[in-house]
Amino acid sequence: MILDVDAGNSRIKWRLVDARDIAARGMADSISDLLGRVATVGVPERIRVASVRREDWVEVLRRRVLAEWGVRLEVATSRAEQKGVVNAYDVPGALGVDRWLALIAAYHRRGDACVVIDCGTALTLDVVDARGHHLGGFIVPGLSMQYRSLEAAAGITLPPVQRIEPESCPGRSTVEAVGNGCVAMMAGWLVNDDRVRHASVNDGLFMTGGDVRVLLPLMESADLAVRQVPELVLDGLALALP
């Protein structure tokens, strides 16, 4: 079995693959939680990791899996070119590996130009042309990060990010106004971006990440066709480290 791990800023997503079938998948809060959950299913023979966390976190994971399972980590990195995708960055390794792997997975599925939106702690938007050349991207604060920033600035406490209806009215409380405002602002940019609309028309718009559930209804209400792929980074990881 192969354990694939996507260690993002906020969450650890994992899946256990047995003979190309998904034996188990889930979320974990820590390394101990991850290893405990996986151990209930089986012991992996390989472990592939995509991490945007500090190197010392990866090193702890490396030591733990070697001590407990005798398995060495295979850690993905962003490269100048891989699986038909060419990195736009002057320093290829500076591109977040989660973005890189998502691009590889999306281009592999599409085989043509595409736009990839990852709705995580930060929201990222990356563009790939028909030749597989990454044209660059955008990084903005994700919805949760926007909430926390406004909490700190205004001295208020907000509930978790909530899904709002496309026809939602202006908020009738500060909490509601902030929540609806952040979502509407983010969706307004995405819905009106020419690259996003062009990709949607050509079946090349991909979305992934935890806040897709909040933004997707607003995208669809604007008649944007979206390919929602929850495990896009894990799919890219499997391609990058076959």
Side-chain angles (χ1 to χ4, degrees):
M1 289 191 289
I2 301 174
L3 173 62
D4 289 330
V5 178
D6 172 14
N9 290 303
S10 303
R11 307 181 303 164
I12 305 170
K13 184 181 295 185
W14 63 273
R15 69 184 182 193
L16 200 57
V17 182
D18 187 9
R20 297 190 178 182
D21 292 325
I22 307 298
R25 54 163 52 91
M27 307 290 296
D29 298 323
S30 65
I31 290 175
S32 294
D33 185 33
L34 169 66
L35 300 189
R37 291 175 184 272
V38 172
T40 64
V41 184
V43 176
E45 298 164 345
R46 294 178 62 194
I47 302 176
R48 302 182 291 210
V49 176
S51 173
V52 297
R53 301 191 175 197
R54 291 162 52 104
E55 181 56 37
D56 55 358
W57 185 91
V58 177
E59 187 56 34
V60 171
L61 178 61
R62 192 189 310 276
R63 292 198 302 266
R64 289 284 303 275
V65 300
L66 184 60
E68 297 185 26
W69 293 330
V71 180
R72 297 187 180 277
L73 283 191
E74 302 171 43
V75 181
T77 58
S78 300
R79 303 182 183 181
E81 183 175 357
Q82 192 173 21
K83 297 295 180 180
V85 180
V86 178
N87 196 325
Y89 273 34
D90 293 332
V91 181
L95 176 65
V97 71
D98 53 344
R99 293 168 63 197
W100 178 242
L101 296 176
L103 289 173
I104 289 174
Y107 187 72
H108 180 79
R109 283 174 177 252
R110 174 81 175 117
D112 205 340
C114 55
V115 167
V116 179
I117 301 171
D118 191 336
C119 310
T121 302
L123 186 143
T124 63
L125 185 155
D126 284 281
V127 184
V128 177
D129 70 14
R131 300 173 299 164
H133 289 204
H134 176 219
L135 303 181
F138 300 89
I139 304 174
V140 300
L143 293 173
S144 294
M145 191 180 294
Q146 291 184 43
Y147 270 36
R148 301 293 81 81
S149 175
L150 286 164
E151 278 186 332
I156 58 177
T157 299
L158 297 169
V161 177
Q162 299 292 323
R163 171 173 168 167
I164 66 172
E165 297 303 320
E167 65 276 9
S168 178
C169 295
R172 299 189 178 187
S173 69
T174 299
V175 168
E176 194 175 81
V178 168
N180 288 9
C182 288
V183 175
M185 181 174 65
M186 186 74 76
W189 165 45
L190 297 176
V191 164
N192 291 292
D193 187 282
D194 289 340
R195 290 161 291 255
V196 170
R197 300 203 69 85
H198 181 76
S200 170
V201 169
N202 291 283
D203 195 32
L205 178 58
F206 292 80
M207 290 186 74
T208 191
D211 285 337
V212 167
R213 62 183 175 79
V214 181
L215 292 169
L216 185 60
L218 301 179
M219 305 285 282
E220 292 178 335
S221 73
D223 296 323
L224 292 174
V226 178
R227 293 195 191 191
Q228 183 184 1
V229 187
E231 297 182 351
L232 197 62
V233 173
L234 292 175
D235 292 345
L237 179 60
L239 290 166
L241 299 176

